[in-house]
Amino acid sequence: MNCWECGAPGAAMFCEGCEAVQPPDPRLDHFARLGVEPRFDQDPDALSAAHRALQRRVHPDRYASAGDRPRRFSMAQATALNDAIRVLRDPLRRAEYMLHLRGRDVGAEGEGRVQLSPAFLMEIIELREAVDELDGPDAHTERSRMAREVAARFEGMLTALGRRLDAGDDDLDAMAQLAAQLRYLRRVIDELQVDDGPGDWT
Amino acid sequence: MAYSDKVIDHYENPRNVGSLDKSDANVGTGLVGAPACGDVMRLQIRVTDDGVIEDARFKTYGCGSAIASSSLVTEWVKGRTVDEALTIKNNDIAQHLALPPVKIHCSVLAEDAIRAAIEDYKRKKGLG
């Protein structure tokens, strides 16, 4: 893109010539926006640091007395950076985003809907019924045990999915299946954590 | 988003919640899921030897519209033949419950569930 201010070509976040802040480049994906490798395997601290460093440069305080355009563009840059980190710092969302970049939408409805096997759905129903039925003196211990078990399975499957993504696996269907299953498992984990409140202290 | 009175009624007083013996030769089980929202729905029918659905049960983990859609379908299929039950369309469900456009997929899920249950029943009976 050419700089809106001085017309110099190839302007990124800031123009190399006049240093004016540019509007977010719509061609950048979240990885490129944060300047990190488009991989599943990411160091969470490095991701946050990259986000923070860029965010500092477009902080509203810097543009408080700037003109209307730089103020708007810096705000848009800040929003785009936040969108990027929100997706990338969550490993499951990061994996889904990588599939999305390759043309597969895990949350698609209608035609492109990811089909889950009845066996897996049965397992999820049974897991959720087991959560509903937690009761009695051992309920708390049992809930913790289930939470650990499901979380371990979630982590294992997520790691496997990440490896396949980073290895350039072409089986998008299988990977979308995995991601969809992970969504369901996360639901169960959330469920196990939500109800894990009052019982502790009443 | 406001739910219609009918959705709220089915959500607060769901009909036919529970399960039927899935190993029973006259019971068909349909299991469907929507990864978009993480909903999962199990719908079961028990069919008489004359091909009439005499009982239906469901269990749904999902939003109010998904629960209402499956609850309504269990009411509708009872007393119908399996072939009549196959004519239930998601539009009928969505219309009856006054589902907003963003919740249409819940009625689609319920239609898929009844179809899957009937397919399972037919497979067991060697009719598929």
Side-chain angles (χ1 to χ4, degrees):
Chain A
M1 291 195 302
N2 291 346
C3 173
W4 60 271
E5 178 82 310
C6 71
M13 228 172 138
F14 299 92
C15 174
E16 281 180 26
C18 70
E19 293 179 4
V21 64
Q22 305 295 311
D25 186 343
R27 294 166 304 184
L28 294 185
D29 63 39
H30 292 328
F31 292 103
R33 177 125 13 238
L34 294 184
V36 299
E37 284 291 310
R39 297 180 55 81
F40 175 80
D41 189 21
Q42 297 281 345
D43 172 1
D45 294 337
L47 261 182
S48 300
H51 171 254
R52 234 179 300 118
L54 291 167
Q55 199 62 272
R56 252 196 308 272
R57 298 182 64 188
V58 291
H59 196 277
D61 288 356
R62 287 176 182 251
Y63 294 89
S65 58
D68 177 52
R69 282 224 262 188
R71 230 185 15 246
R72 266 191 298 122
F73 292 160
S74 65
M75 194 109 75
Q77 288 283 5
T79 306
L81 290 169
N82 285 339
D83 289 345
I85 192 69
R86 208 174 297 123
V87 170
L88 297 189
R89 78 172 151 219
D90 174 343
L92 177 53
R93 289 188 70 182
R94 185 161 73 235
E96 290 189 7
Y97 183 66
M98 290 180 75
L99 287 167
H100 165 77
L101 291 178
R102 294 177 67 183
R104 189 55 55 102
D105 188 357
V106 178
E109 285 170 14
E111 284 292 292
R113 200 170 92 196
V114 177
Q115 297 290 336
L116 291 157
S117 73
F120 178 78
L121 292 170
M122 176 73 86
E123 226 191 307
I124 290 296
I125 289 245
E126 281 170 359
L127 261 174
R128 300 210 46 178
E129 278 177 339
V131 175
D132 285 350
E133 284 159 12
L134 285 173
D135 193 19
D138 297 330
H140 180 70
T141 325
E142 180 59 14
R143 176 180 292 276
S144 308
R145 190 193 62 75
M146 280 180 74
R148 273 195 309 274
E149 213 174 271
V150 182
R153 189 168 162 209
F154 179 89
E155 290 304 327
M157 283 168 61
L158 185 59
T159 306
L161 174 59
R163 286 216 184 96
R164 292 177 71 165
L165 283 164
D166 283 351
D169 194 323
D170 282 331
D171 196 344
L172 293 175
D173 282 339
M175 290 188 290
Q177 279 262 344
L178 260 177
Q181 293 186 350
L182 284 162
R183 278 191 179 197
Y184 278 93
L185 289 177
R186 177 176 273 183
R187 271 283 180 101
V188 178
I189 294 169
D190 288 348
E191 195 66 30
L192 282 161
Q193 282 165 352
V194 164
D195 296 342
D196 198 7
D200 288 340
W201 43 270
T202 49
Chain B
M1 177 194 46
Y3 281 123
S4 71
D5 290 346
K6 278 177 178 157
V7 170
I8 291 168
D9 178 36
H10 276 280
Y11 180 73
E12 288 180 343
N13 313 291
R15 332 294 200 252
N16 311 310
V17 174
S19 60
L20 299 170
D21 178 7
K22 64 172 184 273
S23 61
D24 183 333
N26 289 326
V27 169
T29 301
L31 273 158
V32 290
C37 44
D39 287 0
V40 55
M41 192 179 279
R42 181 184 64 207
L43 205 146
Q44 295 180 295
I45 51 170
R46 189 168 59 233
V47 185
T48 65
D49 294 334
D50 310 327
V52 175
I53 298 171
E54 58 172 349
D55 203 359
R57 297 290 162 85
F58 83 96
K59 189 83 187 234
T60 292
Y61 289 96
C63 66
S65 301
I67 291 168
S69 296
S70 36
S71 170
L72 177 67
V73 164
T74 56
E75 275 197 319
W76 276 0
V77 297
K78 277 200 209 179
R80 296 199 195 195
T81 65
V82 288
D83 290 330
E84 284 166 357
L86 279 174
T87 63
I88 296 174
K89 291 282 172 278
N90 78 284
N91 284 342
D92 309 329
I93 302 165
Q95 216 162 48
H96 183 87
L97 295 172
L99 296 182
V102 293
K103 291 293 179 183
I104 296 297
H105 66 270
C106 299
S107 61
V108 175
L109 205 58
E111 183 191 320
D112 288 350
I114 185 66
R115 285 179 175 280
I118 291 170
E119 271 171 32
D120 182 54
Y121 163 77
K122 286 188 169 173
R123 197 163 42 236
K124 275 183 174 175
K125 288 287 177 184
L127 303 168

